[in-house]
Amino acid sequence: MTSSPPEPRSTRGHRGRRGLARTLAATAAGTLALGTLIAAPAVTQAAAPAAPTDDELGSRFTLAVLPDTQFYSRYSADQFIPRYGSDPFAVQTQWLAQNADALDIPFVTHLGDIVDRVGVEREWQAADAAIRTLDDAALPYSILAGNHDVRDSTDTLYDDQYDLSREPFLQWFGPERAKSVSTFEGSDPTGMNQFHIFEADGQQYMVLALSWRASDATLQWAGDVMAAHPTVPVILTSHEVLNIDADQTTPRETDYGLRLWDELIRSHDQIFLTLNGHFHGASRLEKTNDFGHTVTEVVIDYQMAYEGGDGYLGLYEFDLTHDVINVQTASPWVTWKPQESLTSYDQPLLEGPQQRFSLPIDFSERFSGFNPSFSAGPAEEASLSQKARDILLDGFVGPDPVSTELPGDEQDYVEVPGTLAHWRFNGLDGVVGTDTVIPDVAGGNDLHRPDPATTNTTGTELSDVTIESGDVHGYSSDGAAVCFADSSGSRYSYLTTDANAPVNDADLSKGYTIETFVKMDPTWDSGTNGWSKFLVHTGNRSRIDGFAETQWDWTASPTALGISNLREFQWTAVPGDPTKGDKTAWSGEIMVDTWAHVAIVGDPEDATVTMYVDGAPVLRNAMDAAGLAANPHMPWIIGADWVDDAARNGWNGCVGETRIIDHATGPAEWLTSRADLTGLTVSDAPTGELPAGSSVAALGGTGLPGATVRVDGGVVAGMSTLAASEAVVAEDGTWSVPFAEPLSGAGSYQYAVTQALGSRASEPLAVSFSIAAAVDPGQEPAPGSGNGGGAAGGTGTGSAGTGSAGTGSAGTGSAAGDRGAAHLAATGSDPVLPLGIALVALLAGGIAVIVRHKRARA
């Protein structure tokens, strides 16, 4: 018997779901011969058709997508249920079952990594309970095995080489269970792969679910399945197809994904969409098959987000009337949790460009090659995407999200008081020699590389360590990183502080923050590189007075950050009170060849140590762990472990900028956050109308030290404009931008002042003033009245004529009218009058400048 999750924050009534099996609108067309497909480069996404309004009816349904649930299953019994009474996996399936009718969900597909540890039965039990909710609701679904769901997930072992009698996936989610799902059509001989056909709005669709590492035989089976159903469009699901690049946005193809493309996808026009998990984040790629048709590959996986994924799932609204698939990423778990438990990481909907998007697809044209009769069903549904949002947000009041921007340049980071050391690599390049200095920009703790001949390493060469530019974490403002090649247990290199560096003996009893950016090399291997470290405070913990002897790492360094043999980040440290023993924090599985930001925050208020990976706290953290113990005068090193009083087990990969702070901090102060550009002031600038003959030599004010202040604008004087000028804010926070020549001509002056760090700039501040025109002292102004700003702008009316002096930004008075009357009295003619006012857009400054166009009196 299974238990249901507790009622959510606001209970919504369950409405009877429309029958999932639908009558086909027409008999399928005859079998079409399939041609040979040729791989092609990615193509630019076609322009989207005009978006329908939310209440415009269409032929629509929603495909629900469940990415990696491994941490929900792993921590269901010992973390989620004790804290909340349920887990995210169970809440996801409960929400889908409750809203299947409202959102017209005919099918749910799971992308693999059902559990985290294949041999732990309680994880399978948690997953079984969640999926059984779909069984009980008669909501059809497919499920497949990811790398965590098979006993041996090496890249070279395929599904037909598994010992199938020992595979838990087959015991929990094999063909026998799948037979009870109404859409199930069959499995391959291994039972690891399955296909389903569901019906929606008068048409059939196939979901072809391939488990981890499909063999040649499985790919042949998949081809045979499609050949047996030649008119059915196919959605291929697999745990791995597409990866994500270092910027956390750009798609990157994988060797296995290309295998699927070359040996299956490209030769079957029926496949129009692929969905996979495995790689952390979200991205998509469009490719063209040999029939000239687009295949869209989508990756979605949030296991490294808050709480192991925070319950995010994909909702794919197929709008056949308007030829588009609308995609959004939503979390029923966030809106279900108690209000008082929510944090800034809890956002019910993700709005990034890879999280909410539309895929234009002319369904009839796309499927015409194998199903000429394909057509939309009756236009009966309003926007299902909007309805999903309405359901999720009904009664929900959440916190503001955590957000950041990409850095504008290498200086675009937050400087934090209490920084003990901050190692950066920009400005360096090539092989790191023994004379290379890695600067500590905080001062006093520079790094250098020991001569390999003086260490116990074997086979190490100087060329093993290089500084490389360009390939860094997207949110690191440092444009370079140090990379360690060919590392192993016995072959290693490292960078070290000197024995007298102040950071070696820093007092961290009042808390600390340790940040770094790190990436494993694509050649990383668990046997060779497992349990290696990339940041270590060297020493021997067994020599710390009072340290409680432990089974593991008895003679290891007191503080170390590295990777396990299962590719989990591990923080291991001796706290300020060494009698409490070793304290650890652990991440989930980390992908090779992918940058990650890691922050370790020791908070003395509650004696906790929390690991954050790319901004999200991990589930396994340390308690009762205030401060850090250390051996006196021992260096910090980057690039290797330190055990038994010597280095070993080098880091096979790269390490970016790294910083140590003497107190606990939060995301707003991390290296992933940006410098504050909002403090710009313009304190040295005129305003209003200046007397005739005045001169302005410069503008000045305060800003962020190191930022570039740019002054863009123009002057109305002889129809000329001034080019942009700029200056760098000094260390004392002041800036001054001189004009090429002092401003002294009569006219209106307007400027936009911004400060920037490279490509990122502040909002502009407007500066405007005017200089009055000189009046002939020998002429007395005729009686008259004025209303306006004279040379600065406005209008003026004289007693014997009317003159419009223009529109300006400051000043009031009668100067224009008086001058108009004086001119008339002296010459007997009207003054030269402005014809009009034109707004000239100054692109560099982003402001409009008022220009007077004059004409001579006829």
Side-chain angles (χ1 to χ4, degrees), residues 13 40 241 261 524 750:
V241 180
W261 175 263
W524 191 96
Q750 297 193 23

Side-chain angles (χ1 to χ4, degrees), residues 277-296:
H278 190 53
F279 298 104
H280 310 155
S283 189
R284 66 188 189 273
L285 174 68
E286 292 185 350
K287 302 185 70 171
T288 303
N289 65 22
D290 194 42
F291 297 92
H293 288 147
T294 297
V295 179
T296 303

Side-chain angles (χ1 to χ4, degrees), residues 727-779:
V728 176
V729 181
E731 284 299 316
D732 64 359
T734 62
W735 61 269
S736 178
V737 175
F739 295 113
E741 295 181 2
L743 308 180
S744 58
S748 297
Y749 298 81
Q750 297 193 23
Y751 297 94
V753 182
T754 58
Q755 69 172 339
L757 290 172
S759 60
R760 200 172 65 85
S762 66
E763 292 295 321
L765 299 179
V767 175
S768 60
F769 57 93
S770 62
I771 299 177
V775 177
D776 187 341
Q779 301 294 331

